[in-house]
Amino acid sequence: MSVRKIKGSYWVDFSINRRRYRKRSPHNSQKGGRDYEAVLRQKLARGESIDADANTTQQEQTFEEFAWKWFETYVMPNNKFLEQRAKKYILQKCLVPFFGKLRLEEITTQHVEQYKALALKKGSARKTVNNQLAVFSKLITTAYDWFNLSGRRPKILWLKCPPPSTDFLSADECTLLLSKADGVIREMILTGLRTGMRQGELAGLQWSCIDWQNQLLTVRYSRCPRTGKLMSPKSNRVRHIPIDPDVYQMLFNRKRDTGYVFLDKGEMPFATHNLIRKIRDVRYAAGLRPLGWHMLRHTFASHLAMKGAPILNVQALLGHSTITMTMRYAHVAPSALRESINLLSPKNAINANFGQPAGNQWTETIQQEAKNL
């Protein structure tokens, strides 16, 4: 592959069957250029023309035409499988049916507002509509950046949504769930409850990621549900989690040097559908409400918050990219708020002068009230 940077842009330059192809990459990085070249080579291998864009000017492209080019040249190389699947669904079922026939430059803020109104009228939740608008926003921003379209970019006003509710297991429910599980599945459930790892991270955990001396677990991989290959965790963030004594002893008893930590009876990594079925069976046996592997992560974070762990520490352990994502667990920690309110109690203010000179009337009044309580 040949990717070169010329005057601030990356160009791909390659030959097939003695014919030279030279195209400007839509991505402003060398990796993006290599991915773009791979897409072009795949098109040529399928017998498709990569010069078809010449028949339609950039300004004349409809939303539908650009949407699928954007999906193939931007989403496929840069997003993981689950993100690809979600965006493809939103394009097929939501955005293309509404905006598809409009030219890119014709789309205005009014069209966006009409789309929001229609989606809400059909019964879509506000959070769902915002997710769809997020895909639209990225697509239309990319179009304006790539093609330098004239006109004003449509403005998106996000819908106000109530904070998401978070369901988690109580301590008794955790004990009950573990009592109905056995073998490797019990080990995975316990590890999920004590580390907050995602399902793909549990499935992709390697023995080499465990530091036995420092009792530290490094979340470095996540197993792709489609290909089964090891990828980086969500948000491409590697994080380190101290290992709980119970989890440490459990894993230490059967430690190895390399390979997957959790394997099925056939000594193979767990497939996604098998993991879903396994935890469903355990949940049925325990008589608990419907739950999945991600609820173990919610339980981990919620219990930390209830026991007074600093919210920044919870964020680091979960690997959240922003503190906003972690704040959903703050509501389960009312004790911290109670301590703040207690600071205003006269009993706790006897020796505090609040920045006033000692012996002033304000301090004396508080002390007198405290004695009368």
Side-chain angles (χ1 to χ4, degrees):
M1 293 186 179
S2 177
V3 179
R4 301 174 182 175
K5 189 173 184 180
I6 303 175
K7 294 183 179 180
S9 299
Y10 285 88
W11 290 75
V12 297
D13 192 346
F14 61 96
S15 298
I16 295 181
N17 296 331
R18 297 184 178 181
R19 180 177 176 181
R20 183 182 181 185
Y21 298 92
R22 189 169 182 267
K23 296 283 185 181
R24 180 180 179 273
S25 170
H27 308 288
N28 193 27
S29 68
Q30 190 173 32
K31 179 181 181 302
R34 289 195 297 266
D35 293 336
Y36 181 62
E37 181 180 345
V39 171
L40 295 180
R41 287 179 177 272
Q42 291 171 6
K43 281 188 173 183
L44 292 172
R46 293 194 298 265
E48 300 177 9
S49 173
I50 61 175
D51 298 321
D53 296 347
N55 299 327
T56 305
T57 63
Q58 297 166 351
Q59 288 77 12
E60 293 177 348
Q61 286 189 84
T62 64
F63 181 90
E64 182 175 10
E65 291 170 342
F66 178 73
W68 298 118
K69 294 174 185 175
W70 173 76
F71 182 83
E72 189 171 0
T73 59
Y74 178 85
V75 176
M76 292 292 289
N78 296 298
N79 292 161
K80 296 180 180 179
F81 169 67
L82 294 179
E83 295 175 277
Q84 295 173 15
R85 187 171 65 180
K87 289 179 179 178
K88 184 176 182 179
Y89 178 85
I90 289 175
L91 288 175
Q92 283 181 333
K93 302 297 183 181
C94 308
L95 299 180
V96 169
F98 186 88
F99 297 103
K101 303 304 179 183
L102 295 172
R103 290 190 295 110
L104 292 173
E105 287 189 331
E106 290 179 339
I107 300 175
T108 64
T109 303
Q110 183 180 5
H111 290 113
V112 177
E113 293 301 312
Q114 290 173 349
Y115 174 82
K116 288 162 55 178
L118 181 61
L120 292 174
K121 187 176 181 180
K122 289 181 178 179
S124 298
R126 288 174 169 264
K127 181 65 169 64
T128 301
V129 177
N130 279 346
N131 291 341
Q132 297 165 5
L133 291 176
V135 176
F136 171 83
S137 176
K138 185 61 180 178
L139 185 151
I140 208 71
T141 299
T142 305
Y144 273 79
D145 290 343
W146 286 1
F147 302 146
N148 294 321
L149 299 178
S150 59
R152 179 176 296 181
R153 188 179 307 176
K155 184 178 180 181
I156 298 177
L157 300 176
W158 304 99
L159 294 171
K160 294 183 178 180
C161 303
S165 59
T166 303
D167 190 14
F168 61 93
L169 300 173
S170 66
D172 291 339
E173 289 173 330
C174 291
T175 302
L176 179 59
L177 186 68
L178 289 169
S179 69
K180 298 300 180 180
D182 56 14
V184 178
I185 294 301
R186 185 186 185 279
E187 293 182 355
M188 293 186 73
I189 292 175
L190 181 61
T191 305
L193 288 171
R194 302 293 177 85
T195 64
M197 295 172 67
R198 301 178 178 91
Q199 176 182 322
E201 295 167 349
L202 287 169
L205 181 61
Q206 304 287 299
W207 287 111
S208 59
C209 293
I210 301 178
D211 182 348
W212 300 106
Q213 181 176 357
N214 297 311
Q215 299 188 18
L216 202 65
L217 187 153
T218 301
V219 182
R220 193 181 304 277
Y221 304 109
S222 179
R223 191 165 186 268
C224 178
R226 182 184 64 171
T227 64
K229 295 181 179 179
L230 293 179
M231 306 174 65
S232 60
K234 190 175 181 179
S235 302
N236 298 315
R237 290 174 175 266
V238 175
R239 64 187 190 277
H240 307 281
I241 304 174
I243 306 178
D244 173 85
D246 294 336
V247 175
Y248 179 88
Q249 189 61 47
M250 175 189 71
L251 297 178
F252 186 82
N253 290 338
R254 61 177 189 88
K255 73 171 184 175
R256 299 179 184 177
D257 294 330
T258 59
Y260 286 90
V261 174
F262 302 115
L263 299 172
D264 60 17
K265 293 181 179 179
E267 293 297 310
M268 296 293 292
F270 280 97
T272 301
H273 66 276
N274 283 338
L275 284 177
I276 295 174
R277 179 172 55 83
K278 291 289 186 181
I279 198 168
R280 181 192 61 196
D281 293 343
V282 175
R283 188 268 297 181
Y284 277 140
L288 296 174
R289 60 192 177 281
L291 60 89
W293 289 97
H294 208 73
M295 189 183 287
L296 307 183
R297 179 173 167 85
H298 289 322
T299 301
F300 168 79
S302 299
H303 284 208
L304 284 178
M306 287 189 295
K307 294 181 180 181
I311 199 68
L312 289 178
N313 290 358
V314 178
Q315 178 192 4
L317 291 170
L318 293 176
H320 284 163
S321 57
T322 64
I323 192 65
T324 304
M325 302 174 67
T326 317
M327 287 303 295
R328 68 170 64 182
Y329 304 106
H331 73 281
V332 297
S335 58
L337 301 179
R338 173 58 59 188
E339 291 176 1
S340 299
I341 293 298
N342 287 342
L343 294 176
L344 298 177
S345 172
K347 289 184 178 180
N348 298 324
I350 293 178
N351 297 321
N353 57 29
F354 297 99
Q356 300 292 332
N360 65 20
Q361 184 177 0
W362 170 251
T363 304
E364 293 173 356
T365 302
I366 291 179
Q367 292 175 343
Q368 185 62 39
E369 290 178 353
K371 292 178 181 179
N372 296 334
L373 291 177

